[in-house]
Amino acid sequence: MIIPPGPLKVLVATQPVDFRKGMVGLASLVQRELRLDPFSGMLFIFRARRADRIKLLVWDGTGLVLVTKRLHDGKFRWPRPGDGVMKLSAAQASALVEGLDWSRVHVPRVPKPLHAQ
C-alpha cells in the first residue's frame, strides 16, 4: 500500500459498518455521515460488528486504496463505540492493525522547534 507523504493522520470510525461496502461505499460514508473528505490523504479505519475484521481506506494521490484484514485467531482491540470518529497516532493505528492493544502505545507530543540548532 502506498501511504501519502508527510505525517499520517488516522481516524477510526467508532461505530461498526456494513462490511459488504467497498471503497466507494466507505468513501460515501466518510462524506455523508462523518462529514469528512475521503480524498484528504487521511487513513480511515472501519470495524465490522465482529471484532475480528478491519478495513482501511486511504487516498494515496492516485486512487483510493482499500485494505481488508481478518484475524485468524482473536479479535482487534477497538475503541469504545461512540458517535463519529476517534483520532489515533500512526503508531497506535499500526498496533491496532496488528491486533495489539493500541491504547498502551503512547506517542510523546513534541512542540515544533522555532529554529534549527
Side-chain angles (χ1 to χ4, degrees):
M1 177 167 85
I2 299 171
I3 299 295
L8 183 62
K9 293 182 181 177
V10 181
L11 295 175
V12 177
T14 56
Q15 289 293 326
V17 299
D18 179 356
F19 254 44
R20 294 174 292 183
K21 289 184 187 288
M23 64 179 67
V24 173
L26 291 173
S28 293
L29 184 145
V30 169
Q31 285 179 323
R32 288 182 306 177
E33 294 184 27
L34 303 178
R35 305 223 183 274
L36 295 168
D37 180 8
F39 309 109
S40 64
M42 283 188 274
L43 174 65
F44 295 94
I45 300 178
F46 302 93
R47 66 165 291 174
R49 289 202 188 284
R50 299 174 73 180
D52 66 340
R53 296 155 200 245
I54 190 170
K55 284 191 177 184
L56 312 173
L57 181 72
V58 67
W59 172 260
D60 72 355
T62 61
L64 279 172
V65 179
L66 179 65
V67 177
T68 304
K69 182 174 181 176
R70 186 183 111 207
L71 289 178
H72 179 70
D73 188 29
K75 296 179 178 183
F76 291 102
R77 299 183 190 273
W78 289 103
R80 289 187 190 156
D83 294 330
V85 295
M86 179 179 179
K87 272 178 123 176
L88 292 183
S89 69
Q92 288 170 322
S94 179
L96 172 65
V97 170
E98 291 297 324
L100 303 173
D101 187 355
W102 62 270
S103 65
R104 296 179 147 234
V105 177
H106 298 286
V107 180
R109 300 291 177 198
V110 179
K112 182 179 170 184
L114 298 175
H115 52 80
Q117 294 182 349

